[in-house]
Amino acid sequence: MKKYRNTIEFEVEGPYALFSDPVMRVGGEKTSYHIPTYEALKGIVESIYWKPTIMWIIDAVRIMKPIQTETKGIRPIAYNGGNELAYYTYLKDVKYQVRAHFVPNLNQINLVDDRNDNKHHNIAKRMVQRGGRRDVFLGTRECQAFVEPCVFGEGESYYDMMDGEVGYGYMYHGITYAEEAVLEEDKDKMTVRFWKPVMKKGGIIEFIRPEECTQKRVIRKMEAKIFENGKNFTGLEEFTSEEVGE
């Protein structure tokens, strides 16, 4: 597994997680996948450190604890008003190691001056040490989690001694938004991606990149949000103290 120069590695842990396909979240019951989705892990990394100048690529996840589920009766607000009983099946007592790196977002043509790999990498590593800039969730807001730095592959995983591999079939990978589109065919669209993950010995799942997903479906046309400092993005000033290491 390749490790990039601007890689970050961290461990994320929480009492519950709910990883599901958002296309199917139209109400009623929800059931978590047994493993984290690429999109959920990308959301965690962006809670640690996000800027429109860069795009995070999730390289791999390592499942540290045994996969267990728990079903709870929930009364969410119904679309037609009021409350209705629904059953949510969560993963419980979860812990993952994550490896990720970033690439420049070439669609953000107004932030060319902010394309400084060394600066962003240093800030991201500091944010991992701090546990993230924003609250971290495992798939959904009610599943709060905590982040701390680690060395990917170190420590004991429940799946270190597993035989063979485990395939998870056709599974949701993530959503490509217009402002993060790499392929020409994904420009000006919102596209949902799918893939077939495999867990290898050690509980390791290596992700393919978004542009490598061949199974996808266009949800709708979408205009890319182009950020411009001082107009619709004040983030350059927001990160000033972090860029100088305060």
Side-chain angles (χ1 to χ4, degrees), residues 159-213:
Y159 297 97
D160 282 343
M161 304 306 294
M162 68 178 280
D163 295 324
E165 301 177 341
V166 178
Y168 285 92
Y170 197 63
M171 181 174 161
Y172 168 75
H173 185 276
I175 293 176
T176 299
Y177 297 95
E179 57 267 20
E180 293 190 339
V182 173
L183 302 177
E184 195 62 36
E185 63 195 64
D186 295 331
K187 302 285 186 181
D188 301 317
K189 298 175 187 134
M190 177 190 287
T191 307
V192 62
R193 311 181 305 269
F194 302 91
W195 74 311
K196 294 182 179 180
V198 174
M199 183 168 73
K200 301 177 182 178
K201 186 174 182 178
I204 295 175
I205 299 168
E206 296 182 38
F207 290 97
I208 60 175
R209 293 169 66 123
E211 62 269 25
E212 295 173 342
C213 292

Side-chain angles (χ1 to χ4, degrees), residues 110-137:
N110 296 323
L111 300 178
V112 173
D113 293 342
D114 194 41
R115 292 179 188 167
N116 184 325
D117 276 17
N118 189 55
K119 177 185 74 174
H120 292 302
H121 190 214
N122 286 334
I123 297 174
K125 288 188 294 183
R126 288 201 297 272
M127 294 303 104
V128 170
Q129 292 284 345
R130 296 182 192 178
R133 295 191 77 246
R134 299 193 296 272
D135 291 341
V136 174
F137 308 102

Side-chain angles (χ1 to χ4, degrees), residues 142-153:
E142 70 262 28
C143 298
Q144 291 191 325
F146 301 94
V147 164
E148 62 180 9
C150 76
V151 175
F152 190 93

